Amino acid sequence: MYWSVSQDKLYVKLNLQGKKMLNIDLNQLCTNPEIKLTLRLALSIHARAWDPIGLVLPTKMIGHLLFRQSLQYLTDRAQSMTDTVRPKSKLPWDLEIEGKFKQRWLEYFEMLTCLETVHFERSIKPENVDPSVKPVIAYHQIVL
């Protein structure tokens, strides 16, 4: 979550720099289909779009669902492998994502990079508000 001081607006930016450096550039990943995409890498990129107040939750939800579908698919694929090539861990973190799932992840990553162009007003106060009136949070009790 970032704040554009000059525009007084909030926006979400994909932060690929951090304590653990990714050894892949997102632009390279989107433009070069030969690069290996694993579940570990996909989830790492997905988690770097930090949105603590849920402004871009509809977009992030695509990643959550895609992770779940990819995990199910890769787990099934790992179980069908022979014992010599089957991953040692229970979760297939380092199996390569291929085909339609890889294409869907790449489309999702492009959506994440476009989020930087979506800005949200920091203040939601109406412009014609009377400053002498105290704000009140109204609630309605539902009687059954």
Side-chain angles (χ1 to χ4, degrees), residues 94-141:
D94 297 316
L95 281 182
E96 184 173 3
I97 300 173
E98 300 172 330
K100 69 176 183 175
F101 283 109
K102 183 173 183 176
Q103 185 59 38
R104 289 172 60 194
W105 274 109
L106 295 178
E107 290 170 4
Y108 172 66
F109 294 153
E110 288 178 18
M111 280 189 249
L112 287 181
T113 57
C114 290
L115 286 178
E116 193 172 335
T117 63
V118 179
H119 289 77
F120 300 90
E121 297 289 333
R122 187 175 64 89
S123 174
I124 56 171
K125 179 180 78 172
E127 292 193 17
N128 59 353
V129 69
D130 182 5
S132 64
V133 176
K134 300 271 188 211
V136 176
I137 298 177
Y139 91 98
H140 301 282
Q141 184 175 6

Side-chain angles (χ1 to χ4, degrees), residues 23-40:
N23 46 353
I24 196 161
D25 181 20
L26 189 57
N27 292 328
Q28 285 179 336
L29 182 64
C30 291
T31 58
N32 187 354
E34 301 300 318
I35 295 177
K36 181 179 177 181
L37 177 65
T38 63
L39 195 60
R40 185 183 312 272

